[in-house]
Amino acid sequence: MSDVSVEAKREGPSWLILPGIIWMALFMVVPIAMICYVSFWTQTTFNISSTPTLASWKQFFASDTYTGALWTTVRIWLIVLATTFIIGYPTALFVGLFVKSKTLSTVLLVVCVIPFWTSFLIRVLAWRPMLGKEGAINIILLKLHIITHPIEVLLFTELSVIIGMSQIYCVFMVGPIAFMLGRIDRNIIEAARDLGAGFGRIFWKIIFPLSLPGVVVGAIFVSVMVLGEFATSGALSGRKVNLLGNIIVTQVGSLKWAMASVTGVILTVVMGMVIAAFLRIVDLKQEL
Amino acid sequence: MTTQTAIFRIDGVTKSYGGVKALDAVTLEAGVNEYLSLLGPSGSGKTTLLRVIAGFEAPDAGRVYFQGRDITNVPAHERGIGFVFQNFALFPHLTVRQNVAFGMANGSESISADETAQRTQAVIDMVGLTGMEDRGVDQISGGQRQRVALARTLVMQPKLVLLDEPLGALDANLRGRMRNELRAIRERMGVTFLHVTGSETEALAMGDSVVVLDRGRIIQRGAPDDIYSNPQSPDVAHFLNRFNMFDGVLSAGNFAGPFGTVAAAKATRALRDVYAIRYDRLRVLPVSASAEGPALKATYIANEYLGSSVMNFFETTDGKVVEVEHHLSLGAPEIYEPRQDYLLTWAPEQAIVFGREGK
């Protein structure tokens, strides 16, 4: 009996979570339920009715355009995840661990965030004059006589989408990893050195495992944002790369609510699986 | 102790941080199978000294020798010197067993899995952690973590173990127990311990030999009882935290202090004139009594019960607090009236006098 009263005391008055419940219900549960519901509606060219049908679902999986968009999304997500990790981890290692002064490491993190002082669209569009046929990169390479003809695959290809996304989302990988690395007690690294371990061993056995929660958080940030992307692929691929996000935008634009909903549900499920998979790697509740 | 039996020696080691000298030409050596405790207040450079010996810091000047070899430029992980950190610095994501086995599994010399497992188990048994092998290090108590830290270092079979305030993070009860265990474990392993501490009782209780460090210099070295009964300078007497110290003037074998002028036949040479008398050497008399030796009038303030003794606090007319310790084995403590004056007296030959004209 006394256990119950202790439990109740520790939890406090339960009505405090009411605002949270209302907020989540209104802006998450209801919209997602709505999307699921609408995905089964009957869509004709100029009309939509609530008669339940599987037609839109069948159409999604029968069409190469839609399934192709699904695989493109997954492929680009994996590539961008890999590049942000490959670029982001060493950066975070430098900022979070090798820089001894706390002030300097904070300054360096702020420097990473400076691009965010302009709007998202400007950051995306700024890649066009960089990557174009007569863009900055080609001009410099031509002037240095490294190339004789401008590289044309830089812009309006999948490559440009990957370059753009990697740059935009890299900082979301750097931040959490640098934070976890910064929390590692320096004595632990010295203890490992004192026990005879060289740098490689210390990195793989001590530093990397301890930074793993940061990697997982960074990967979740990057994954959620890349999977839901449509603007970067739209602006930098010349509409050649279609992600699930682009499909949704097009379908909504042509008032195809049912198809947009099907795509939306599939995207949500993919994101849910990705996040669940990442959370299996580390028990974040315990680590943070 | 001769150089042949010395396990390590540091020679004129100097280390500065931003113009401040943390170590000032320190020369020190320790023999094989010796327990050396290094006593110093915070900021005396004792941790820096350990870090230089371990190889985490490079000295600005001076050399470090270990087993007869100059290791000044050898990186920490190739020195083979054990280091036990103040906060233990256990690997938080590994179990007790993995922590202990880390050095053997990841060190430069390759040790077979069988031998690693066997040595790990042996040292875990020795420090009394049997049954805890698969616990995470955040699932064990402070004292057990201390043992893991020690086991992790000892399993590498170092000839020298450096301990940086190893008992500082433990509560008083555990500290007393670990004190005995540290000594017992060291005797079983036959290695040299260099134990750094800010606690005078710890330094005196644990060291075969005590080194007192102040402002980057070694100011005295000797056996614990020698340090305790013959501090070589007012600073050492001060760190021992067992003496009432009075400033005054020493001239022609007489010390003039707040208690009048007292004959001081024997004086130790020091930079300032200080009269030191141990807490338990003072006697308390009624203010009307006539004392034979030196006498100091003081007001009783309060007392503190310490278990085996009672500490009485008196205040002299010029506001200085004088402590008088009464060992309960000598009988029940006398009851003093707060805010009443008493006469404090002592036998002059029991005082330790420091002065510029001392020898």
Coordinates of all heavy atoms in Angstrom, one line a residue, chain A residues 2 6 21 51 75 77-78 83 88 107 134 169 181-182 189 193 197 218 226 253 260 263 267 280:
Chain A
S2 N 1.9 1.2 0.8 CA 2.8 2.4 0.9 C 3.5 2.7 -0.4 O 3.8 3.8 -0.7 CB 3.8 2.3 2.1 OG 4.7 1.2 1.8
V6 N 3.9 6.3 -2.5 CA 5.2 6.8 -2.9 C 5.2 7.1 -4.4 O 5.6 8.2 -4.8 CB 6.3 5.8 -2.5 CG1 7.6 6.2 -3.2 CG2 6.5 5.8 -1.0
I21 N -0.6 16.5 -23.9 CA -1.5 15.5 -24.6 C -2.4 16.2 -25.7 O -2.5 15.7 -26.8 CB -2.4 14.8 -23.6 CG1 -1.5 13.8 -22.8 CG2 -3.5 14.0 -24.3 CD1 -2.3 13.0 -21.7
T51 N -15.6 7.0 -50.1 CA -15.8 5.6 -50.3 C -14.5 4.8 -50.2 O -13.5 5.1 -50.9 CB -16.4 5.3 -51.7 OG1 -17.3 6.3 -52.0 CG2 -17.0 3.9 -51.8
R75 N 18.1 5.5 -51.4 CA 19.5 5.6 -51.9 C 20.1 6.9 -51.5 O 21.2 6.9 -50.9 CB 19.5 5.4 -53.4 CG 20.9 5.2 -53.9 CD 21.0 4.9 -55.4 NE 20.5 6.0 -56.2 CZ 19.4 5.9 -57.0 NH1 18.7 4.8 -57.1 NH2 19.0 7.0 -57.7
W77 N 19.2 8.9 -49.2 CA 19.3 9.0 -47.7 C 20.5 8.3 -47.2 O 21.3 8.9 -46.4 CB 18.0 8.4 -47.1 CG 18.2 8.0 -45.7 CD1 18.5 8.8 -44.6 CD2 18.2 6.6 -45.2 NE1 18.7 8.0 -43.5 CE2 18.4 6.7 -43.8 CE3 17.9 5.4 -45.7 CZ2 18.4 5.6 -42.9 CZ3 17.9 4.3 -44.9 CH2 18.2 4.4 -43.5
L78 N 20.8 7.1 -47.7 CA 22.0 6.3 -47.3 C 23.3 7.0 -47.7 O 24.2 7.1 -46.9 CB 21.9 4.9 -47.9 CG 20.9 4.0 -47.2 CD1 20.8 2.6 -48.0 CD2 21.3 3.7 -45.8
T83 N 28.0 10.4 -46.2 CA 28.9 11.5 -46.4 C 28.9 12.4 -45.2 O 29.9 12.9 -44.7 CB 28.5 12.3 -47.6 OG1 27.1 12.6 -47.6 CG2 28.8 11.6 -48.9
G88 N 31.5 14.6 -41.0 CA 31.1 15.1 -39.7 C 31.9 14.6 -38.5 O 32.3 15.3 -37.6
V107 N 33.4 28.4 -30.0 CA 33.5 29.2 -31.2 C 33.5 28.4 -32.5 O 32.7 28.8 -33.4 CB 34.9 30.0 -31.1 CG1 35.1 30.7 -32.5 CG2 34.8 31.1 -30.0
E134 N 29.0 27.1 -65.9 CA 29.9 28.2 -65.8 C 29.9 28.8 -64.3 O 30.0 30.0 -64.1 CB 29.4 29.3 -66.7 CG 29.7 29.0 -68.2 CD 29.0 29.8 -69.2 OE1 28.7 31.0 -68.8 OE2 28.7 29.3 -70.3
Y169 N 23.1 19.4 -44.2 CA 22.7 18.6 -43.0 C 24.0 18.1 -42.2 O 23.8 17.5 -41.1 CB 21.9 17.4 -43.4 CG 20.6 17.8 -44.0 CD1 20.2 17.5 -45.3 CD2 19.7 18.7 -43.3 CE1 19.0 17.9 -45.8 CE2 18.5 19.1 -43.8 CZ 18.2 18.7 -45.1 OH 17.0 19.2 -45.6
L181 N 31.5 13.8 -27.4 CA 32.9 13.7 -27.3 C 33.4 14.6 -26.2 O 34.3 14.3 -25.4 CB 33.6 14.0 -28.6 CG 33.5 12.9 -29.7 CD1 34.0 13.5 -31.0 CD2 34.3 11.7 -29.3
G182 N 32.8 15.8 -26.1 CA 33.2 16.8 -25.2 C 32.9 16.4 -23.7 O 33.6 16.8 -22.8
I189 N 40.9 8.7 -21.1 CA 41.8 8.5 -22.2 C 43.2 8.4 -21.7 O 44.0 7.5 -22.2 CB 41.6 9.7 -23.2 CG1 40.2 9.7 -23.8 CG2 42.7 9.7 -24.3 CD1 39.8 10.9 -24.5
R193 N 45.8 5.2 -22.1 CA 47.2 5.4 -22.5 C 48.2 4.8 -21.5 O 49.1 4.1 -21.9 CB 47.5 6.9 -22.7 CG 47.4 7.4 -24.0 CD 48.4 8.6 -24.3 NE 48.1 9.7 -23.5 CZ 48.9 10.7 -23.3 NH1 50.1 10.6 -23.8 NH2 48.6 11.7 -22.5
A197 N 47.7 1.4 -24.3 CA 47.0 1.4 -25.6 C 47.5 2.6 -26.4 O 47.6 3.7 -25.9 CB 45.5 1.4 -25.3
G218 N 22.7 12.2 -34.1 CA 23.0 12.9 -35.4 C 22.4 12.2 -36.6 O 21.8 12.8 -37.5
V226 N 16.5 14.3 -44.3 CA 16.7 13.9 -45.7 C 15.5 13.2 -46.2 O 15.1 13.4 -47.4 CB 18.0 13.1 -45.8 CG1 18.2 12.5 -47.2 CG2 19.2 14.0 -45.5
G253 N -0.3 19.4 -55.3 CA -0.5 20.5 -56.3 C -1.6 20.2 -57.3 O -2.3 21.1 -57.7
A260 N -1.4 11.5 -52.6 CA -0.5 12.2 -51.7 C -0.5 11.5 -50.3 O 0.6 11.4 -49.6 CB -0.8 13.7 -51.6
T263 N 1.5 8.2 -50.3 CA 2.9 8.5 -50.3 C 3.3 8.9 -48.9 O 4.4 8.5 -48.3 CB 3.3 9.6 -51.3 OG1 2.5 9.3 -52.5 CG2 4.7 9.6 -51.6
L267 N 6.0 7.2 -46.4 CA 7.2 8.0 -45.9 C 7.3 7.9 -44.4 O 8.3 7.7 -43.8 CB 7.1 9.4 -46.4 CG 8.3 10.3 -46.2 CD1 9.5 9.7 -46.7 CD2 8.0 11.7 -46.9
R280 N 17.7 1.1 -31.7 CA 18.1 -0.3 -31.2 C 19.6 -0.3 -30.9 O 20.1 -1.1 -30.1 CB 17.8 -1.3 -32.2 CG 16.3 -1.5 -32.4 CD 16.0 -2.9 -32.8 NE 14.8 -3.4 -32.1 CZ 14.6 -4.6 -31.9 NH1 15.5 -5.5 -32.2 NH2 13.5 -5.0 -31.2

